[in-house]
Coordinates of all heavy atoms in Angstrom, one line a residue:
M1 N 0.8 -1.2 0.0 CA 0.0 0.0 0.0 C 0.9 1.3 0.0 O 0.6 2.2 -0.8 CB -0.9 -0.1 1.2 CG -1.8 1.2 1.4 SD -3.1 1.2 0.2 CE -4.0 2.6 0.9
L2 N 1.9 1.3 0.9 CA 2.7 2.5 0.9 C 3.5 2.7 -0.4 O 3.6 3.8 -0.9 CB 3.8 2.3 2.1 CG 4.8 3.5 2.2 CD1 4.1 4.8 2.6 CD2 5.9 3.1 3.1
L3 N 3.9 1.6 -1.0 CA 4.7 1.8 -2.2 C 3.8 2.3 -3.3 O 4.2 3.1 -4.2 CB 5.3 0.4 -2.7 CG 6.4 -0.1 -1.8 CD1 6.8 -1.5 -2.3 CD2 7.6 0.8 -1.8
H4 N 2.5 1.9 -3.4 CA 1.6 2.5 -4.4 C 1.4 4.0 -4.1 O 1.3 4.8 -5.0 CB 0.3 1.8 -4.3 CG 0.4 0.3 -4.8 ND1 0.8 0.0 -6.1 CD2 0.2 -0.8 -4.1 CE1 0.8 -1.3 -6.2 NE2 0.5 -1.8 -5.0
S5 N 1.3 4.4 -2.8 CA 1.1 5.8 -2.5 C 2.3 6.6 -2.8 O 2.2 7.7 -3.4 CB 0.8 5.9 -1.0 OG -0.4 5.3 -0.7
V6 N 3.5 6.1 -2.5 CA 4.7 6.8 -2.9 C 4.9 6.9 -4.4 O 5.2 8.0 -4.9 CB 5.9 6.0 -2.2 CG1 7.2 6.6 -2.8 CG2 5.9 6.1 -0.7
A7 N 4.6 5.8 -5.1 CA 4.7 5.9 -6.6 C 3.7 6.9 -7.1 O 4.0 7.7 -8.0 CB 4.4 4.5 -7.1
A8 N 2.5 6.9 -6.6 CA 1.5 7.9 -7.1 C 1.9 9.3 -6.8 O 1.8 10.2 -7.7 CB 0.1 7.6 -6.5
Y9 N 2.4 9.6 -5.6 CA 2.9 10.9 -5.2 C 4.1 11.3 -6.1 O 4.2 12.5 -6.6 CB 3.3 10.9 -3.8 CG 3.5 12.3 -3.2 CD1 2.4 13.0 -2.8 CD2 4.8 12.8 -3.1 CE1 2.6 14.3 -2.2 CE2 4.9 14.1 -2.5 CZ 3.8 14.8 -2.1 OH 4.0 16.1 -1.6
C10 N 5.0 10.4 -6.4 CA 6.1 10.7 -7.3 C 5.6 11.0 -8.7 O 6.2 11.9 -9.4 CB 7.1 9.5 -7.4 SG 8.1 9.3 -5.9
N11 N 4.6 10.3 -9.2 CA 4.0 10.6 -10.5 C 3.4 12.0 -10.5 O 3.5 12.8 -11.5 CB 3.0 9.6 -10.9 CG 3.7 8.3 -11.3 OD1 4.8 8.2 -11.7 ND2 2.9 7.2 -11.2
I12 N 2.7 12.4 -9.5 CA 2.1 13.7 -9.4 C 3.2 14.8 -9.3 O 3.1 15.8 -10.0 CB 1.2 13.8 -8.2 CG1 -0.1 12.9 -8.4 CG2 0.8 15.2 -7.9 CD1 -0.9 12.7 -7.2
L13 N 4.2 14.5 -8.6 CA 5.4 15.4 -8.5 C 6.0 15.6 -9.8 O 6.4 16.7 -10.2 CB 6.3 15.0 -7.4 CG 7.3 16.0 -6.8 CD1 6.5 17.1 -6.2 CD2 8.1 15.3 -5.7
H14 N 6.2 14.5 -10.5 CA 6.8 14.6 -11.9 C 5.9 15.4 -12.8 O 6.4 16.2 -13.6 CB 6.9 13.1 -12.4 CG 7.7 13.1 -13.7 ND1 7.0 12.8 -14.9 CD2 9.0 13.2 -14.0 CE1 7.9 12.8 -15.9 NE2 9.1 13.1 -15.4
G15 N 4.6 15.2 -12.8 CA 3.7 16.0 -13.6 C 3.8 17.5 -13.2 O 3.7 18.4 -14.1
F16 N 3.9 17.8 -11.9 CA 4.1 19.2 -11.5 C 5.3 19.8 -12.0 O 5.3 20.9 -12.5 CB 4.1 19.2 -9.9 CG 4.5 20.5 -9.3 CD1 3.7 21.6 -9.4 CD2 5.8 20.6 -8.8 CE1 4.1 22.8 -8.8 CE2 6.2 21.8 -8.2 CZ 5.3 22.9 -8.3
L17 N 6.4 19.0 -12.0 CA 7.7 19.6 -12.6 C 7.6 19.8 -14.1 O 8.1 20.8 -14.6 CB 8.8 18.6 -12.3 CG 9.3 18.6 -10.8 CD1 10.3 17.5 -10.6 CD2 9.9 19.9 -10.4
L18 N 6.9 18.9 -14.8 CA 6.7 19.1 -16.2 C 5.9 20.4 -16.5 O 6.1 21.2 -17.4 CB 6.1 17.9 -16.8 CG 6.9 16.7 -17.0 CD1 6.1 15.5 -17.5 CD2 8.1 16.9 -17.9
F19 N 4.8 20.6 -15.7 CA 4.0 21.8 -15.8 C 4.8 23.0 -15.5 O 4.7 24.0 -16.3 CB 2.8 21.7 -14.8 CG 2.0 22.9 -14.8 CD1 1.1 23.1 -15.9 CD2 2.1 23.8 -13.8 CE1 0.3 24.2 -15.9 CE2 1.3 25.0 -13.8 CZ 0.4 25.2 -14.9
C20 N 5.7 23.0 -14.5 CA 6.5 24.2 -14.2 C 7.5 24.4 -15.3 O 7.7 25.6 -15.7 CB 7.3 23.9 -12.9 SG 6.2 24.0 -11.4
H21 N 8.0 23.4 -15.9 CA 9.0 23.5 -17.0 C 8.2 24.2 -18.2 O 8.8 25.1 -18.8 CB 9.6 22.2 -17.4 CG 10.6 22.3 -18.5 ND1 11.8 22.9 -18.3 CD2 10.6 21.9 -19.8 CE1 12.5 22.9 -19.4 NE2 11.8 22.2 -20.3
G22 N 7.0 23.7 -18.5 CA 6.3 24.3 -19.5 C 5.9 25.8 -19.3 O 5.7 26.6 -20.2
S23 N 5.8 26.1 -18.0 CA 5.4 27.5 -17.6 C 6.6 28.5 -17.9 O 6.4 29.7 -17.9 CB 5.0 27.6 -16.2 OG 3.9 26.8 -15.9
K24 N 7.8 28.0 -18.0 CA 8.9 28.8 -18.3 C 9.0 29.3 -19.7 O 9.8 30.2 -20.0 CB 10.2 28.0 -17.9 CG 10.3 27.7 -16.5 CD 11.6 26.9 -16.2 CE 11.7 26.5 -14.8 NZ 12.9 25.7 -14.5
V25 N 8.2 28.8 -20.6 CA 8.2 29.2 -22.0 C 7.7 30.7 -22.0 O 6.6 31.0 -21.6 CB 7.3 28.3 -22.9 CG1 7.2 28.9 -24.3 CG2 7.9 26.9 -22.9
G26 N 8.5 31.5 -22.5 CA 8.1 32.9 -22.6 C 8.3 33.8 -21.4 O 8.1 34.9 -21.3
A27 N 8.8 33.1 -20.3 CA 9.1 33.8 -19.1 C 10.4 34.5 -19.1 O 11.4 33.9 -19.6 CB 9.1 32.8 -17.9
G28 N 10.4 35.7 -18.7 CA 11.7 36.4 -18.6 C 12.6 35.9 -17.5 O 12.1 35.1 -16.7
P29 N 13.8 36.4 -17.4 CA 14.7 35.9 -16.3 C 14.2 36.1 -14.9 O 14.4 35.3 -14.0 CB 16.0 36.6 -16.6 CG 15.7 37.7 -17.5 CD 14.4 37.4 -18.2
T30 N 13.6 37.2 -14.7 CA 13.1 37.5 -13.3 C 12.0 36.6 -12.9 O 12.0 36.0 -11.9 CB 12.7 39.0 -13.2 OG1 13.7 39.8 -13.6 CG2 12.3 39.3 -11.8
L31 N 11.0 36.4 -13.8 CA 9.9 35.5 -13.6 C 10.4 34.1 -13.4 O 10.0 33.4 -12.5 CB 8.9 35.6 -14.7 CG 7.6 34.7 -14.6 CD1 6.9 35.0 -13.3 CD2 6.8 34.8 -15.8
H32 N 11.3 33.7 -14.3 CA 11.9 32.4 -14.2 C 12.6 32.1 -12.9 O 12.4 31.1 -12.2 CB 12.8 32.2 -15.4 CG 13.6 30.9 -15.4 ND1 14.8 30.7 -14.8 CD2 13.2 29.7 -15.9 CE1 15.2 29.5 -15.0 NE2 14.2 28.8 -15.6
A33 N 13.5 33.0 -12.5 CA 14.3 32.8 -11.3 C 13.5 33.0 -10.0 O 13.6 32.2 -9.1 CB 15.5 33.7 -11.3
T34 N 12.8 34.1 -9.9 CA 12.1 34.4 -8.6 C 10.8 33.7 -8.4 O 10.5 33.3 -7.3 CB 11.9 35.9 -8.5 OG1 11.0 36.3 -9.6 CG2 13.1 36.7 -8.6
S35 N 10.1 33.4 -9.4 CA 8.8 32.9 -9.2 C 8.7 31.4 -9.5 O 8.5 30.6 -8.6 CB 7.7 33.6 -10.1 OG 7.6 34.9 -9.7
I36 N 8.9 31.0 -10.7 CA 8.7 29.6 -11.1 C 9.7 28.7 -10.4 O 9.3 27.7 -9.8 CB 8.7 29.5 -12.6 CG1 7.6 30.4 -13.2 CG2 8.5 28.1 -13.1 CD1 7.7 30.5 -14.7
S37 N 11.0 28.9 -10.7 CA 12.0 28.0 -10.2 C 12.1 27.9 -8.7 O 12.1 26.8 -8.1 CB 13.4 28.4 -10.7 OG 13.4 28.2 -12.1
A38 N 12.1 29.1 -8.0 CA 12.2 29.1 -6.6 C 11.0 28.4 -5.9 O 11.2 27.6 -5.0 CB 12.4 30.5 -6.1
S39 N 9.8 28.7 -6.3 CA 8.6 28.1 -5.7 C 8.5 26.6 -6.0 O 8.2 25.9 -5.1 CB 7.4 28.8 -6.3 OG 7.4 30.2 -5.9
A40 N 8.8 26.2 -7.2 CA 8.8 24.8 -7.6 C 9.8 24.1 -6.8 O 9.6 22.9 -6.3 CB 9.0 24.6 -9.1
K41 N 11.0 24.6 -6.6 CA 12.1 24.0 -5.8 C 11.6 23.8 -4.4 O 11.9 22.7 -3.8 CB 13.4 24.8 -5.9 CG 14.5 24.1 -5.1 CD 15.7 25.0 -5.2 CE 16.9 24.4 -4.5 NZ 16.7 23.6 -3.3
Q42 N 11.0 24.8 -3.8 CA 10.5 24.7 -2.4 C 9.5 23.5 -2.3 O 9.5 22.8 -1.3 CB 9.9 26.0 -2.0 CG 9.5 26.0 -0.5 CD 10.6 25.9 0.4 OE1 11.8 26.3 0.1 NE2 10.4 25.5 1.6
V43 N 8.5 23.4 -3.2 CA 7.5 22.4 -3.2 C 8.2 21.0 -3.3 O 7.9 20.1 -2.6 CB 6.5 22.6 -4.3 CG1 5.6 21.4 -4.4 CG2 5.6 23.8 -4.0
V44 N 9.1 20.9 -4.2 CA 9.8 19.6 -4.4 C 10.6 19.2 -3.2 O 10.6 18.1 -2.8 CB 10.7 19.6 -5.7 CG1 11.5 18.4 -5.8 CG2 9.8 19.7 -6.9
D45 N 11.4 20.2 -2.7 CA 12.2 19.9 -1.5 C 11.4 19.4 -0.3 O 11.7 18.4 0.4 CB 13.1 21.1 -1.1 CG 14.2 21.4 -2.1 OD1 14.5 20.5 -3.0 OD2 14.7 22.5 -2.1
C46 N 10.3 20.1 -0.1 CA 9.4 19.7 1.0 C 8.8 18.4 0.8 O 8.6 17.5 1.7 CB 8.3 20.8 1.3 SG 8.9 22.3 1.8
S47 N 8.4 18.1 -0.4 CA 7.8 16.8 -0.8 C 8.7 15.7 -0.6 O 8.4 14.6 -0.1 CB 7.3 16.9 -2.2 OG 6.3 17.8 -2.4
I48 N 10.0 15.9 -1.0 CA 11.0 14.8 -0.9 C 11.2 14.5 0.6 O 11.4 13.4 1.0 CB 12.3 15.2 -1.6 CG1 12.0 15.1 -3.1 CG2 13.4 14.2 -1.3 CD1 13.1 15.6 -4.0
A49 N 11.3 15.6 1.4 CA 11.5 15.4 2.8 C 10.4 14.6 3.4 O 10.6 13.7 4.3 CB 11.7 16.7 3.5
L50 N 9.1 14.9 3.0 CA 8.0 14.2 3.5 C 8.0 12.7 3.1 O 7.7 11.8 3.9 CB 6.7 14.8 3.0 CG 5.4 14.1 3.3 CD1 5.2 14.1 4.8 CD2 4.2 14.9 2.7
Q51 N 8.4 12.5 1.8 CA 8.5 11.1 1.3 C 9.5 10.3 2.1 O 9.3 9.2 2.5 CB 8.9 11.1 -0.1 CG 7.8 11.6 -1.0 CD 7.1 10.5 -1.7 OE1 7.6 9.5 -1.9 NE2 5.8 10.8 -2.1
R52 N 10.7 10.9 2.4 CA 11.7 10.2 3.1 C 11.2 9.8 4.5 O 11.4 8.7 5.0 CB 13.0 11.1 3.2 CG 13.8 11.1 2.0 CD 15.0 11.9 2.2 NE 15.8 12.0 0.9 CZ 16.6 13.0 0.6 NH1 16.8 14.0 1.5 NH2 17.2 13.0 -0.5
K53 N 10.6 10.8 5.2 CA 10.1 10.5 6.5 C 9.0 9.5 6.5 O 9.0 8.6 7.5 CB 9.6 11.8 7.2 CG 9.4 11.8 8.6 CD 10.6 11.4 9.4 CE 11.5 12.6 9.6 NZ 12.6 12.4 10.5
A54 N 8.2 9.5 5.5 CA 7.1 8.5 5.5 C 7.6 7.1 5.3 O 7.2 6.1 5.9 CB 6.1 8.8 4.3
V55 N 8.6 7.0 4.5 CA 9.2 5.6 4.3 C 10.0 5.2 5.5 O 9.8 4.0 5.9 CB 10.2 5.7 3.0 CG1 11.0 4.4 3.0 CG2 9.4 5.9 1.8
C56 N 10.7 6.1 6.2 CA 11.4 5.8 7.4 C 10.3 5.4 8.5 O 10.6 4.5 9.3 CB 12.2 6.9 7.9 SG 13.7 7.2 6.9
Y57 N 9.2 6.1 8.6 CA 8.2 5.8 9.5 C 7.6 4.4 9.3 O 7.3 3.7 10.2 CB 7.1 6.9 9.5 CG 5.9 6.5 10.3 CD1 5.9 6.5 11.7 CD2 4.7 6.1 9.7 CE1 4.8 6.2 12.4 CE2 3.6 5.7 10.4 CZ 3.7 5.8 11.8 OH 2.6 5.4 12.6
H58 N 7.4 4.1 8.0 CA 6.9 2.8 7.7 C 7.8 1.6 8.2 O 7.3 0.6 8.6 CB 6.6 2.7 6.2 CG 6.0 1.4 5.8 ND1 4.7 1.1 6.1 CD2 6.5 0.3 5.1 CE1 4.4 -0.1 5.6 NE2 5.5 -0.6 5.0
E59 N 9.1 1.9 8.1 CA 10.0 0.9 8.6 C 10.2 0.8 10.1 O 10.5 -0.2 10.6 CB 11.4 1.1 7.9 CG 11.3 1.0 6.4 CD 12.6 1.5 5.7 OE1 13.5 2.0 6.4 OE2 12.7 1.3 4.5
S60 N 10.0 1.9 10.8 CA 10.1 1.9 12.2 C 9.0 2.7 12.8 O 8.7 3.8 12.4 CB 11.5 2.5 12.6 OG 11.4 3.4 13.6
H61 N 8.4 2.2 13.9 CA 7.2 2.9 14.5 C 7.7 3.7 15.7 O 7.2 3.5 16.8 CB 6.2 1.8 14.9 CG 5.6 1.1 13.7 ND1 4.8 1.7 12.8 CD2 5.9 -0.1 13.2 CE1 4.5 0.9 11.9 NE2 5.1 -0.3 12.1
D62 N 8.6 4.6 15.5 CA 9.1 5.5 16.5 C 8.1 6.7 16.7 O 7.6 7.2 15.8 CB 10.4 6.1 16.1 CG 11.1 6.9 17.2 OD1 10.6 6.9 18.3 OD2 12.1 7.5 16.9
H63 N 7.8 7.0 18.0 CA 6.8 8.1 18.3 C 7.3 9.4 17.8 O 6.5 10.2 17.3 CB 6.6 8.1 19.8 CG 5.6 9.2 20.2 ND1 4.3 9.1 19.8 CD2 5.7 10.3 20.9 CE1 3.6 10.2 20.3 NE2 4.5 10.9 20.9
V64 N 8.6 9.7 17.8 CA 9.1 11.0 17.4 C 8.9 11.1 15.9 O 8.5 12.2 15.4 CB 10.6 11.1 17.7 CG1 11.2 12.4 17.2 CG2 10.8 11.1 19.3
K65 N 9.1 10.1 15.1 CA 8.9 10.1 13.7 C 7.5 10.3 13.3 O 7.1 11.0 12.4 CB 9.5 8.9 13.0 CG 11.0 8.8 13.0 CD 11.4 7.5 12.4 CE 12.9 7.4 12.4 NZ 13.4 6.2 11.9
R66 N 6.6 9.8 14.2 CA 5.2 9.9 13.9 C 4.7 11.3 14.1 O 3.9 11.8 13.3 CB 4.4 9.0 14.9 CG 3.0 8.8 14.6 CD 2.3 7.9 15.6 NE 3.0 6.7 15.9 CZ 2.9 6.0 16.9 NH1 2.0 6.3 17.8 NH2 3.6 4.9 17.1
L67 N 5.3 12.1 15.0 CA 5.0 13.5 15.2 C 5.5 14.4 14.0 O 4.9 15.4 13.7 CB 5.5 14.0 16.5 CG 4.9 13.4 17.8 CD1 5.7 13.9 19.0 CD2 3.5 13.7 17.9
S68 N 6.6 14.0 13.4 CA 7.2 14.9 12.4 C 6.4 14.8 11.0 O 6.6 15.7 10.2 CB 8.6 14.6 12.2 OG 8.8 13.3 11.7
I69 N 5.7 13.7 10.8 CA 5.0 13.6 9.5 C 4.0 14.7 9.3 O 3.9 15.4 8.3 CB 4.4 12.2 9.4 CG1 5.5 11.2 9.3 CG2 3.4 12.1 8.2 CD1 5.5 10.1 8.4
P70 N 3.1 15.0 10.3 CA 2.2 16.1 10.1 C 2.9 17.5 9.9 O 2.4 18.3 9.1 CB 1.3 16.1 11.3 CG 1.4 14.8 11.9 CD 2.8 14.3 11.5
Q71 N 4.0 17.7 10.6 CA 4.7 18.9 10.4 C 5.3 19.0 9.0 O 5.2 20.1 8.4 CB 5.9 19.0 11.4 CG 5.4 19.1 12.8 CD 6.5 18.9 13.8 OE1 7.6 18.4 13.5 NE2 6.3 19.4 15.0
L72 N 5.8 17.9 8.5 CA 6.3 18.0 7.1 C 5.2 18.1 6.1 O 5.4 18.8 5.1 CB 7.1 16.7 6.8 CG 8.5 16.6 7.5 CD1 9.1 15.2 7.3 CD2 9.4 17.7 7.0
A73 N 4.1 17.5 6.3 CA 2.9 17.7 5.4 C 2.5 19.2 5.5 O 2.1 19.7 4.4 CB 1.8 16.8 5.9
G74 N 2.6 19.8 6.6 CA 2.2 21.2 6.7 C 3.2 22.1 5.9 O 2.8 23.0 5.3
T75 N 4.5 21.7 5.9 CA 5.4 22.5 5.1 C 5.1 22.4 3.6 O 5.3 23.3 2.9 CB 6.9 22.1 5.4 OG1 7.1 20.7 5.1 CG2 7.2 22.4 6.9
V76 N 4.7 21.2 3.2 CA 4.3 21.0 1.8 C 3.1 21.9 1.5 O 3.1 22.6 0.4 CB 4.0 19.5 1.5 CG1 3.5 19.4 0.1 CG2 5.3 18.7 1.6
W77 N 2.1 21.9 2.3 CA 0.9 22.8 2.1 C 1.3 24.2 2.0 O 0.9 25.0 1.2 CB -0.1 22.5 3.2 CG -0.9 21.3 2.9 CD1 -0.9 20.2 3.7 CD2 -1.9 21.2 1.9 NE1 -1.8 19.3 3.1 CE2 -2.5 19.9 2.0 CE3 -2.4 21.9 0.9 CZ2 -3.4 19.3 1.2 CZ3 -3.3 21.4 0.0 CH2 -3.9 20.2 0.2
E78 N 2.3 24.6 3.0 CA 2.7 26.0 3.0 C 3.4 26.4 1.7 O 3.3 27.5 1.1 CB 3.6 26.3 4.2 CG 2.8 26.3 5.5 CD 3.8 26.3 6.7 OE1 5.0 26.4 6.5 OE2 3.2 26.3 7.8
A79 N 4.3 25.4 1.2 CA 5.0 25.7 -0.1 C 4.0 25.8 -1.2 O 4.2 26.6 -2.1 CB 6.0 24.6 -0.3
C80 N 3.0 25.0 -1.2 CA 2.0 25.0 -2.3 C 1.2 26.4 -2.2 O 0.9 27.0 -3.2 CB 1.0 23.9 -2.2 SG 1.8 22.3 -2.6
D81 N 0.9 26.8 -1.0 CA 0.2 28.1 -0.8 C 1.1 29.2 -1.3 O 0.6 30.2 -2.0 CB -0.2 28.3 0.6 CG -1.4 27.5 1.1 OD1 -2.1 27.1 0.2 OD2 -1.6 27.3 2.3
A82 N 2.4 29.2 -1.0 CA 3.3 30.2 -1.5 C 3.4 30.2 -3.0 O 3.5 31.2 -3.6 CB 4.7 30.0 -0.9
L83 N 3.3 29.0 -3.6 CA 3.3 28.9 -5.0 C 2.2 29.6 -5.7 O 2.3 30.2 -6.7 CB 3.4 27.4 -5.4 CG 3.4 27.1 -6.9 CD1 4.7 27.5 -7.6 CD2 3.1 25.6 -7.2
K84 N 1.0 29.5 -5.0 CA -0.2 30.1 -5.6 C -0.1 31.6 -5.6 O -0.7 32.3 -6.3 CB -1.4 29.7 -4.7 CG -1.9 28.3 -5.0 CD -3.3 28.1 -4.3 CE -3.1 27.3 -3.1 NZ -4.4 27.1 -2.4
K85 N 0.8 32.2 -4.7 CA 0.9 33.6 -4.6 C 2.1 34.2 -5.4 O 2.3 35.4 -5.3 CB 1.1 34.0 -3.1 CG 0.0 33.6 -2.2 CD 0.3 33.9 -0.7 CE -0.9 33.4 0.1 NZ -0.5 33.5 1.6
T86 N 2.7 33.4 -6.1 CA 3.9 33.9 -6.9 C 3.4 34.7 -8.1 O 2.2 34.5 -8.6 CB 4.8 32.7 -7.4 OG1 4.0 31.8 -8.2 CG2 5.4 32.0 -6.3
A87 N 4.3 35.4 -8.7 CA 4.0 36.2 -9.9 C 3.6 35.4 -11.0 O 4.2 34.3 -11.2 CB 5.2 37.1 -10.2
T88 N 2.7 35.8 -11.9 CA 2.3 35.0 -13.0 C 2.7 35.7 -14.3 O 2.6 35.0 -15.4 CB 0.8 34.8 -13.0 OG1 0.1 36.1 -13.0 CG2 0.4 34.0 -11.9
T89 N 3.2 36.9 -14.3 CA 3.6 37.6 -15.5 C 5.0 38.2 -15.3 O 5.4 38.4 -14.1 CB 2.6 38.7 -15.9 OG1 2.7 39.7 -14.9 CG2 1.2 38.2 -16.1
N90 N 5.7 38.5 -16.4 CA 7.0 39.1 -16.3 C 6.9 40.5 -15.6 O 7.8 40.8 -14.7 CB 7.6 39.3 -17.7 CG 8.0 38.0 -18.3 OD1 8.4 37.1 -17.6 ND2 7.7 37.9 -19.6
C91 N 5.9 41.3 -15.9 CA 5.8 42.6 -15.2 C 5.6 42.5 -13.7 O 6.2 43.2 -13.0 CB 4.6 43.3 -15.9 SG 4.9 43.8 -17.6
T92 N 4.8 41.6 -13.3 CA 4.5 41.4 -11.9 C 5.8 40.9 -11.2 O 6.1 41.4 -10.1 CB 3.4 40.4 -11.7 OG1 2.3 40.7 -12.4 CG2 3.0 40.3 -10.2
A93 N 6.5 40.0 -11.8 CA 7.8 39.5 -11.2 C 8.8 40.6 -11.1 O 9.5 40.7 -10.1 CB 8.3 38.4 -12.1
V94 N 9.0 41.4 -12.1 CA 9.9 42.6 -12.1 C 9.5 43.5 -11.0 O 10.3 44.0 -10.2 CB 10.1 43.2 -13.5 CG1 10.8 44.5 -13.4 CG2 10.7 42.3 -14.5
R95 N 8.2 43.9 -10.9 CA 7.7 44.8 -9.9 C 8.0 44.2 -8.5 O 8.5 45.0 -7.6 CB 6.2 45.0 -10.1 CG 5.7 46.1 -9.2 CD 4.2 46.3 -9.3 NE 3.8 46.3 -10.7 CZ 2.8 45.6 -11.2 NH1 2.1 44.8 -10.5 NH2 2.4 45.7 -12.5
G96 N 7.8 43.0 -8.3 CA 8.1 42.4 -7.0 C 9.6 42.4 -6.7 O 10.0 42.6 -5.5
A97 N 10.4 42.1 -7.7 CA 11.9 42.1 -7.5 C 12.3 43.5 -7.1 O 13.2 43.7 -6.3 CB 12.6 41.6 -8.7
M98 N 11.8 44.5 -7.8 CA 12.2 45.9 -7.5 C 11.7 46.3 -6.1 O 12.4 47.1 -5.4 CB 11.6 46.8 -8.6 CG 12.2 46.7 -9.9 SD 11.5 47.6 -11.2 CE 11.5 49.3 -10.6
T99 N 10.6 45.8 -5.7 CA 10.1 46.2 -4.4 C 11.0 45.6 -3.3 O 11.2 46.2 -2.3 CB 8.6 45.6 -4.2 OG1 7.8 46.2 -5.2 CG2 8.0 46.0 -2.9
Q100 N 11.5 44.4 -3.5 CA 12.4 43.8 -2.6 C 13.7 44.5 -2.5 O 14.3 44.5 -1.4 CB 12.6 42.3 -2.9 CG 11.4 41.5 -2.6 CD 11.6 40.0 -3.0 OE1 12.6 39.6 -3.6 NE2 10.6 39.2 -2.7
V101 N 14.2 45.0 -3.6 CA 15.5 45.7 -3.6 C 15.3 47.1 -2.9 O 15.9 47.5 -2.1 CB 16.0 45.9 -5.0 CG1 17.2 46.8 -5.0 CG2 16.3 44.6 -5.6

């Protein structure tokens, strides 16, 4: 059961990466670097950490590992929420980058 869930999650993550790669078409360097790549990297990194912990938890029933899974799932949700708030156009990305400077 766990292997099917992990495989399905990996397939979804792969589709997400393909979608992000397709979103880079026509994107300027600011939109590419600040919005698409950074946000996608955050989602992928959090997802991989969650996957690792889930597999380790499946192999050992340690109480501390059990507590960290919801926290890691929360970081994935937060990364996805941050992804929804990223710039969608080159103008918006440049405006946001100028505001940060």
Side-chain angles (χ1 to χ4, degrees):
M1 175 75 171
L2 176 71
L3 291 177
H4 294 296
S5 298
V6 169
Y9 194 81
C10 286
N11 286 336
I12 291 170
L13 203 54
H14 186 254
F16 168 73
L17 287 172
L18 288 173
F19 177 76
C20 289
H21 184 69
S23 298
K24 293 178 184 179
V25 174
T30 305
L31 178 60
H32 175 267
T34 60
S35 295
I36 299 170
S37 294
S39 297
K41 183 181 182 326
Q42 185 67 25
V43 171
V44 170
D45 289 346
C46 293
S47 296
I48 290 172
L50 176 61
Q51 292 260 334
R52 284 185 183 152
K53 191 61 78 170
V55 170
C56 290
Y57 170 72
H58 182 68
E59 295 171 356
S60 137
H61 297 287
D62 186 8
H63 180 66
V64 174
K65 289 181 181 176
R66 192 178 314 158
L67 292 176
S68 62
I69 296 222
Q71 293 169 340
L72 288 171
T75 61
V76 172
W77 279 110
E78 288 171 3
C80 290
D81 284 341
L83 178 68
K84 287 191 251 179
K85 297 175 185 173
T86 59
T88 55
T89 64
N90 290 322
C91 292
T92 308
V94 169
R95 187 179 316 127
M98 288 174 57
T99 304
Q100 288 179 354
V101 173

